Amino acid sequence: SSLLDADGDGAVEVVYSIYDDTGDRRWHTVAIDALTGQTRLDIPGHYLHGLHDIDGDGQPEWFLSEAAGEALPPFAPLTIWTVNAGEPVERWRHERAAFSSRPVSSLPLTVSTGAADGLRTTVAADADGDGRRDFFVVTPTDGGQALHAYGADAGGRVAQRWTVRGPTGASLQASAAVDIGAGPATLIHWTGRG
């Protein structure tokens, strides 16, 4: 769970995903008011992978996947939402992919987890030098995977930046995006054959 102003209203919320809390055998991504405990938003059938500001407006976007059962599938419909005054607005969608993620050794004081894979975070970093965070998704290909970079332009529209196809049998992840002096570069990690 994360503790932050998740919807731009100035109040702090706790945002988390929980399975079957209401007895409906579904994932819910929930935002509750940190002071009152009142539920501000409940998004059934979605799992929260991360919160990142990708358009530079100071408000986090919600990185979500659709989830039909307790086990999260390796590839699923993905969405990114902005929440304004309790109203979610879909900013981006992919019908079958996975957010690129990386392990973390520790969590900030505003984040807590009890999840089996809770020490992973979605990778979001400025990969093209425009000052806004880009994000990365993995899609299945015939016998392998492709890694795609997406980012928001100055108007907030999300578009694909580039794609890298891995060798047959390889799994791809973006590990980080760093400035190497000659401009930004993305560190891509692959495992498996290739």
Side-chain angles (χ1 to χ4, degrees):
S1 60
S2 295
L3 183 66
L4 72 164
D5 179 6
D7 61 5
D9 66 353
V12 175
E13 289 88 25
V14 178
V15 183
Y16 59 94
S17 286
I18 190 165
Y19 181 75
D20 198 30
D21 188 47
T22 62
D24 63 356
R25 302 182 57 88
R26 298 174 75 188
W27 281 101
H28 289 251
T29 295
V30 180
I32 61 171
D33 186 291
L35 294 178
T36 67
Q38 177 185 4
T39 299
R40 303 288 303 268
L41 184 64
D42 182 348
I43 307 169
H46 288 79
Y47 181 85
L48 179 70
H49 292 272
L51 296 159
H52 301 283
D53 180 7
I54 61 168
D55 56 11
D57 68 355
Q59 183 176 343
E61 277 68 46
W62 299 39
F63 286 59
L64 302 162
S65 66
E66 294 180 16
E70 183 176 4
L72 298 175
F75 299 102
L78 304 180
T79 59
I80 294 180
W81 292 357
T82 298
V83 179
N84 292 315
E87 294 298 321
V89 176
E90 186 176 278
R91 302 279 306 277
W92 175 85
R93 171 178 269 299
H94 197 291
E95 290 306 319
R96 187 166 184 253
F99 288 113
S100 189
S101 65
R102 64 176 177 78
V104 294
S105 59
S106 63
L107 297 171
L109 294 176
T110 58
V111 178
S112 173
T113 185
D117 207 16
L119 287 177
R120 292 193 71 79
T121 187
T122 49
V123 178
D126 185 6
D128 59 7
D130 67 358
R132 291 179 293 278
R133 288 182 171 202
D134 303 296
F135 63 95
F136 307 90
V137 299
V138 177
T139 58
T141 63
D142 291 336
Q145 294 181 348
L147 178 68
H148 312 271
Y150 289 87
D153 64 17
R157 292 174 298 279
V158 176
Q160 186 170 323
R161 301 286 189 238
W162 50 257
T163 297
V164 173
R165 290 191 178 280
T168 300
S171 297
L172 299 176
Q173 291 290 329
S175 296
V178 295
D179 188 342
I180 58 171
T186 302
L187 178 62
I188 299 171
H189 174 81
W190 84 57
T191 57
R193 299 187 319 254

